[in-house]
Amino acid sequence: MVTYSSVVSKLETAADVPEDARLASHHVKGSHGQTVKFKNPHPSAGDTTATVFQMLGKILWARLSGNMSDPDLSNVKIPVVKPDLLTSRTGSTALRATWLGHACYFVEFPSGLRVLFDPVFEDRCTPVQWAGPKRYSPPACSLSELPPVDAVVISHSHYDHLSHTSVQELAKRNPEAQFFVGLGLEKWFHASGITKVTEMDWWQDADLVLQKAKGSEAEDDKTAPDTISARITCLPCQHSSGRTATDRDTTLWASWSVKSGGKSVWFGGDTGYRRVPRVGADVDDYGPEYDSLPRCPQFKQIGELRGPFDLGLIPIGAYSPRWLFSWMHANPYDSVEIFKETRCKRAMGIHWGTWVLTSEEVEEPPKMLKEALKTSGIPETGVFDVCAVGETREF
């Protein structure tokens, strides 16, 4: 098997970034001028200063008042198939993307680069494995069944996107794998025994170079490239972070761009788009009455300054009740707007089909996605799709 060594060069923030990024308006400064936490800098997020306990209180009240109930899982059938992953780095000239559940995607670039986004392979996305949301669709494979991974990209620190167990196993199995994370998370990774970590701010670039070890290839690996390179960019989104009651927003949440071998991917991770007030269940919050609601400008900036992208991995689930979660979780109508603004040529829906996090029926996001695409005049299939857990699509 071919083995590669890896080197990361973090670059200075490029000149072509929005003014608010140059001013670091998403940084919250302490008394001595140091960054102590982060914030969403635009009105589209609204007031996000509520504590963890206040947020939990709102969720509890929504449940007690009948405005947030658990979806019915008795007849859910999310298809799961065995992944068809390449054994050779020169096996395809296409970009290959395999959904491994929720926000986790394994992407194989034509250059030979292999990237894993937001890997969480445990049954529960919680601090413990005896309580909290449990998978209702099984993993398509285990970490041990993946081919060697070159880069692991983490959107933020919430448990459904960052698993201590998964990243430790990945680092153990892939000692040269580089982990790319938002500001503040490097310390957590070092405490977990992982040292190949590149911590980045919004709009920063990093170059990843893989060099083939001499004599490492078997007879059937002779065609593996000597060098593989990629440009990885940390980009904005509208969300939050935290793993305990006391560390909220002390690490940065982000979307990401990865470009290699002439192909590009934008990974949305987890994001909201607009803060929607409480409206009736039959009210269209994209109707004329709500045209004035602020929209997050960052996605249009991403499209204009870093797009277009061959593939967008865009969240479509965990949005109900809307008045509670819209600022941090996109629904499919938001997702289609994000898709258009980031200038993705194609997209796949993520952040659904794995754990119950909110109250919409678990098979609703793909149905609503088709409605949203139709409303925008985009074909309902072949442009922005969903797939089975474990399924691979080529782009």
Side-chain angles (χ1 to χ4, degrees):
M1 180 179 66
V2 176
T3 59
Y4 287 83
S5 59
S6 61
V7 175
V8 175
S9 302
K10 190 163 73 170
L11 309 178
E12 294 298 322
T13 302
D16 56 337
V17 301
E19 181 66 17
D20 60 273
R22 248 190 303 275
L23 297 173
S25 59
H26 56 296
H27 290 232
V28 178
K29 301 292 187 179
S31 57
H32 299 289
Q34 78 280 21
T35 298
V36 295
K37 61 188 306 185
F38 302 93
K39 66 178 181 178
N40 294 292
H42 298 291
S44 53
D47 180 7
T48 61
T49 59
T51 66
V52 172
F53 297 110
Q54 289 171 325
M55 188 68 177
L56 290 173
K58 289 181 180 180
I59 293 173
L60 178 60
W61 174 248
R63 288 188 176 278
L64 292 174
S65 60
N67 292 312
M68 185 176 178
S69 56
D70 290 330
D72 181 11
L73 297 179
S74 61
N75 197 34
V76 171
K77 296 178 181 177
I78 305 295
V80 180
V81 300
K82 199 69 175 175
D84 178 24
L85 304 175
L86 298 177
T87 57
S88 167
R89 292 181 183 266
T90 55
S92 176
T93 58
L95 180 72
R96 303 177 85 249
T98 304
W99 187 39
L100 297 179
H102 199 55
C104 183
Y105 249 91
F106 185 78
V107 179
E108 300 162 290
F109 287 79
S111 64
L113 181 75
R114 296 163 173 158
V115 181
L116 189 60
F117 295 92
D118 280 5
V120 180
F121 282 72
E122 286 67 57
D123 279 344
R124 299 183 189 270
C125 56
T126 56
V128 295
Q129 286 298 297
W130 48 265
K134 184 177 174 60
R135 282 182 183 267
Y136 55 81
S137 57
C141 65
S142 66
L143 280 173
S144 64
E145 295 174 285
L146 295 178
V149 177
D150 305 311
V152 181
V153 175
I154 304 295
S155 63
H156 66 296
S157 67
H158 287 158
Y159 283 91
D160 56 323
H161 296 259
L162 175 57
S163 159
H164 184 264
T165 302
S166 290
V167 296
Q168 280 196 317
E169 184 177 346
L170 276 164
K172 183 178 180 180
R173 292 182 176 278
N174 304 274
E176 284 295 317
Q178 298 282 348
F179 290 77
F180 294 88
V181 304
L183 289 182
L185 264 177
E186 183 180 59
K187 182 179 178 181
W188 183 93
F189 275 81
H190 286 177
S192 302
I194 300 171
T195 57
K196 286 186 173 293
V197 184
T198 301
E199 186 180 88
M200 299 170 68
D201 199 359
W202 290 348
W203 299 100
Q204 281 188 328
D205 299 314
D207 284 338
L208 170 65
V209 177
L210 309 179
Q211 193 70 42
K212 184 168 68 174
K214 291 183 178 179
S216 68
E217 72 271 11
E219 190 61 35
D220 58 350
D221 291 325
K222 295 293 186 183
T223 59
D226 291 333
T227 302
I228 299 172
S229 60
R231 167 65 58 86
I232 298 177
T233 305
C234 182
L235 292 165
C237 64
Q238 181 171 289
H239 199 58
S240 181
S241 69
R243 293 177 73 80
T244 71
T246 59
D247 71 340
R248 182 171 181 187
D249 297 347
T250 58
T251 62
L252 184 61
W253 49 97
S255 67
W256 295 84
S257 163
V258 180
K259 299 183 178 182
S260 183
K263 292 289 187 176
S264 57
V265 173
W266 180 70
F267 176 61
D270 200 353
T271 186
Y273 183 65
R274 304 180 305 155
R275 182 181 281 271
V276 176
R278 191 191 295 258
V279 300
D282 58 343
V283 174
D284 176 12
D285 62 54
Y286 269 97
E289 184 180 353
Y290 301 100
D291 274 348
S292 61
L293 289 179
R295 302 185 180 206
C296 183
Q298 295 169 318
F299 304 107
K300 189 173 182 181
Q301 294 168 349
I302 289 169
E304 291 174 346
L305 297 175
R306 294 295 182 271
F309 302 97
D310 294 294
L311 173 64
L313 302 174
I314 301 178
I316 63 171
Y319 49 77
S320 182
R322 190 97 158 106
W323 60 269
L324 189 56
F325 294 107
S326 60
W327 72 272
M328 65 184 302
H329 286 162
N331 82 353
Y333 283 88
D334 299 327
S335 307
V336 170
E337 296 304 305
I338 292 170
F339 166 72
K340 293 186 293 186
E341 290 181 358
T342 51
R343 298 175 65 204
C344 294
K345 299 174 185 176
R346 300 272 300 281
M348 299 299 295
I350 63 172
H351 207 259
W352 75 283
T354 308
W355 293 288
V356 171
L357 302 177
T358 48
S359 64
E360 75 272 8
E361 292 300 322
V362 299
E363 293 176 298
E364 180 182 279
K367 297 173 184 176
M368 188 183 290
L369 177 61
K370 287 181 179 293
E371 296 169 2
L373 290 166
K374 184 177 181 180
T375 298
S376 284
I378 299 171
E380 295 176 36
T381 59
V383 179
F384 189 163
D385 291 326
V386 297
C387 66
V389 179
E391 184 178 347
T392 299
R393 296 285 182 95
E394 293 191 349
F395 303 90

